[in-house]
Amino acid sequence: LTFIKRISYLLCLSILTVSIIQPIASEAAVRNIRVGLASNAKSLVVSSTSSYTISDRNGRKISVRGNLHLSASKNTTTVTINEKKFGLPLTLYGKGLMTFNKRKYRGNFKILRGSSGLTLINELGIENYLRGVLKMEINPAWPREAIKAQAVISRTYALKHLGKHSKEGFDLCALPHCQVYRGVNAEDPVCDKAIRETRGSVLTFQGKLALTPFHSDCGGATADVSTVWGGHLPYLKAVREPVQDASPYASWKAMIKTSDIQNALRKKGISIGTVTGIGVTQHDPYGRADQVRITGTGGSHLMSSHSFRMAIGSNKIRSTMFTISSSGTSGSYSSQTQKSHVNNSTPAPDLSFIDKKSDTLNSKEAKLMTVLVKQGFFNADQMIDMLLHPEKKKAYLVQALERKPISREVMPLTSTHMSGNEFIFTGKGWGHGVGMSQWGAKALAEKGWSEKRILDHYFPGTKLTRYY
Ligand SMILES: [Zn+2]
């Protein structure tokens, strides 16, 4: 052997010796969490802020420094590092912080063979995991008791959902699907303090970890879980907020085109033709819209307003604490768009669009027909006759208008709004409304409420418990 080769051989040996005696850092299993940072990646580049050890499934170890490039081919079960083969899964650990995608992480990395690529997992203690989560969920400038309440909620969520991604080999993903986790880059001294002060604290109900959803702003009162995701939980009922918060989402307005609503519903498999009206059919005691009926030229569809909101877009219709009105020329039936009355008698609506010469209904006539049917303008025999002879609809419509004067008041159902070019949703708050309202918690903390009192308010009947 040449001198250089002999030196490198010795170096390699000493590295291997060092790595064998270095233990894998791990805490008690229940306090650890496996967070998926990448799933089924074609390739991965990982590193560490110092030298680190790679250990494979056979206990084979190597100590390395700098970037480790791994790429997956079909049925990859081994990877080559420094010309040596290592069997997946791999564990990467060291004294420094592990790095991936320019972000630093505490704890270890694990690399597994996923169903179609490589999966990168960050394994670390739950308290350290929370340090990479909390700032993504709440503003560190907010009052401490609100941040502590959020820490308890995030910890409870993590512990309750351990194994949510077990099919992929980890507990939670690092995305909004679970909880956004950004590792060391997201750590903040204020959040760290709130985590330390609530160490191990969780919310339980009847001795089990509670379900702890939260949202930005409930708009005055929270939502009952049954109206959003279904199911009944005694601690996820609608509760009114005792103080007014200063949320930037306190009121909002969304103008949604009728065609956008039609398209969004069609994507959900709901085909009711041209949308002609939307009405809230059920409210909760605090004014939240629980259920809506969408009427179209081809039928109507009843759905929870939460599903409706999700179908249209949760960033457009920010909450279900909304009322509906309509705009556009053909939307003039809506009580919301009534002009001020000149005298006490209700002016008749403009019916100039009725074309008595044609036998078929034009679109405005069809919309009016839908409303008249709903208002009970026709008896059962007439309805059956129209069903069997659609060509008679026009005659029935004209007849109905002549028989009974139509006022603006009687035409729409109280909260159904006829379609113009768009529907206007006027609402309060942002989010699904279940569990803790973050802006509400902030307002309560500013009033001097403790983290426990805030959590008792939003999750009544739960217990603040030390889990470990
Ligand atoms: Zn997830």
Side-chain angles (χ1 to χ4, degrees):
L1 293 172
T2 65
F3 179 67
I4 298 284
K5 269 193 178 167
R6 210 176 295 174
I7 290 285
S8 62
Y9 181 65
L10 282 172
L11 263 177
C12 199
L13 266 185
S14 72
I15 283 168
L16 281 175
T17 323
V18 167
S19 55
I20 284 159
I21 54 165
Q22 198 174 347
I24 296 175
S26 76
E27 300 175 49
V30 71
R31 295 186 198 177
N32 266 13
I33 186 163
R34 296 164 302 158
V35 191
L37 302 182
S39 264
N40 293 316
K42 292 258 179 311
S43 63
L44 289 174
V45 183
V46 295
S47 188
S48 169
T49 53
S50 68
S51 67
Y52 56 103
T53 302
I54 302 168
S55 143
D56 82 348
R57 67 158 180 262
N58 304 315
R60 187 169 200 186
K61 287 173 189 178
I62 186 171
S63 184
V64 294
R65 227 173 225 291
N67 284 346
L68 174 69
H69 295 259
L70 296 174
S71 52
S73 54
K74 248 191 174 179
N75 308 319
T76 302
T77 53
T78 60
V79 290
T80 307
I81 303 164
N82 291 1
E83 293 168 8
K84 291 188 182 77
K85 281 197 185 308
F86 288 82
L88 293 173
L90 303 177
T91 303
L92 287 65
Y93 57 95
K95 285 202 172 112
L97 298 166
M98 300 308 299
T99 60
F100 170 64
N101 263 353
K102 294 181 183 163
R103 290 191 184 129
K104 299 187 183 95
Y105 295 93
R106 297 181 188 280
N108 304 327
F109 275 179
K110 278 199 158 54
I111 296 168
L112 320 177
R113 157 91 216 162
S115 55
S116 64
L118 297 168
T119 296
L120 176 64
I121 296 163
N122 181 201
E123 188 177 21
L124 76 169
I126 284 195
E127 298 298 307
N128 273 337
Y129 159 75
L130 290 172
R131 297 171 68 188
V133 167
L134 203 52
K135 196 179 154 187
M136 309 311 297
E137 309 282 18
I138 200 159
N139 186 341
W142 281 16
R144 173 138 38 109
E145 294 303 308
I147 300 174
K148 282 164 70 183
Q150 182 69 51
V152 172
I153 282 179
S154 296
R155 183 182 293 107
T156 309
Y157 176 89
L159 286 162
K160 189 170 180 70
H161 293 91
L162 286 178
K164 189 172 173 183
H165 285 269
S166 60
K167 276 186 185 159
E168 293 150 90
F170 51 91
D171 292 309
L172 300 180
C173 69
L175 304 172
H177 173 256
C178 290
Q179 289 193 118
V180 177
Y181 166 68
R182 293 268 165 87
V184 174
N185 296 35
E187 291 178 7
D188 178 278
V190 173
C191 292
D192 282 358
K193 194 158 184 266
I195 293 164
R196 277 199 308 276
E197 286 174 356
T198 61
R199 187 184 160 78
S201 292
V202 291
L203 278 188
T204 60
F205 181 74
Q206 294 178 344
K208 287 184 185 151
L209 288 163
L211 199 66
T212 51
F214 63 92
H215 55 276
S216 183
D217 173 10
C218 69
T222 62
D224 190 314
V225 68
S226 66
T227 64
V228 178
W229 302 304
H232 286 279
L233 284 171
Y235 58 92
L236 292 180
K237 298 285 176 205
V239 289
R240 191 197 290 279
E241 286 197 323
V243 292
Q244 183 103 42
D245 64 55
S247 152
Y249 320 116
S251 70
W252 52 264
K253 194 171 254 202
M255 326 258 264
I256 318 250
K257 281 193 192 132
T258 305
S259 55
D260 289 348
I261 292 172
Q262 265 158 231
N263 293 338
L265 293 176
R266 202 172 299 130
K267 274 186 196 152
K268 296 279 165 196
I270 302 160
S271 293
I272 49 167
T274 306
V275 170
T276 55
I278 304 177
V280 177
T281 49
Q282 207 173 294
H283 282 102
D284 83 353
Y286 303 111
R288 183 179 294 276
D290 279 346
Q291 202 179 51
V292 290
R293 181 184 289 282
I294 305 106
T295 312
T297 49
S300 76
H301 186 79
L302 199 62
M303 67 198 293
S304 79
S305 53
H306 171 73
S307 306
F308 177 73
R309 172 178 175 244
M310 298 318 279
I312 305 302
S314 56
N315 290 339
K316 288 183 190 155
I317 298 179
R318 289 178 166 181
S319 75
T320 54
M321 199 65 111
F322 61 64
T323 56
I324 312 169
S325 55
S326 64
S327 76
T329 48
S330 62
S332 56
Y333 311 121
S334 152
S335 56
Q336 299 277 317
T337 55
Q338 272 183 58
K339 298 283 179 285
S340 60
H341 296 173
V342 177
N343 51 43
N344 285 337
S345 67
T346 308
D350 176 15
L351 295 173
S352 60
F353 59 83
I354 306 249
D355 178 6
K356 292 186 182 175
K357 286 179 211 132
S358 164
D359 287 340
T360 52
L361 299 181
N362 64 36
S363 69
K364 285 182 184 179
E365 289 167 346
K367 284 173 195 170
L368 176 58
M369 192 69 181
T370 311
V371 175
L372 294 185
V373 167
K374 276 184 161 299
Q375 293 289 330
F377 267 69
F378 307 100
N379 64 32
D381 290 342
Q382 292 170 324
M383 296 288 287
I384 290 169
D385 194 32
M386 277 193 274
L387 210 64
L388 295 174
H389 307 283
E391 71 280 1
K392 288 189 181 174
K393 276 186 181 176
K394 186 59 170 275
Y396 273 113
L397 175 66
V398 173
Q399 222 179 70
L401 296 175
E402 284 165 359
R403 192 176 62 226
K404 215 172 172 184
I406 313 285
S407 74
R408 280 172 195 262
E409 245 96 57
V410 80
M411 277 176 67
L413 288 170
T414 33
S415 60
T416 295
H417 291 281
M418 296 293 292
S419 162
N421 303 319
E422 58 192 7
F423 287 92
I424 303 163
F425 294 80
T426 309
K428 291 189 272 183
W430 195 346
H432 50 66
V434 186
M436 188 180 83
S437 159
Q438 292 181 310
W439 279 92
K442 176 181 185 276
L444 294 172
E446 281 162 356
K447 289 261 175 223
W449 286 39
S450 70
E451 137 235 16
K452 185 187 180 312
R453 198 171 163 206
I454 293 169
L455 292 168
D456 276 347
H457 170 73
Y458 288 110
F459 305 97
T462 59
K463 236 175 109 182
L464 188 62
T465 322
R466 286 295 293 270
Y467 199 71
Y468 48 80

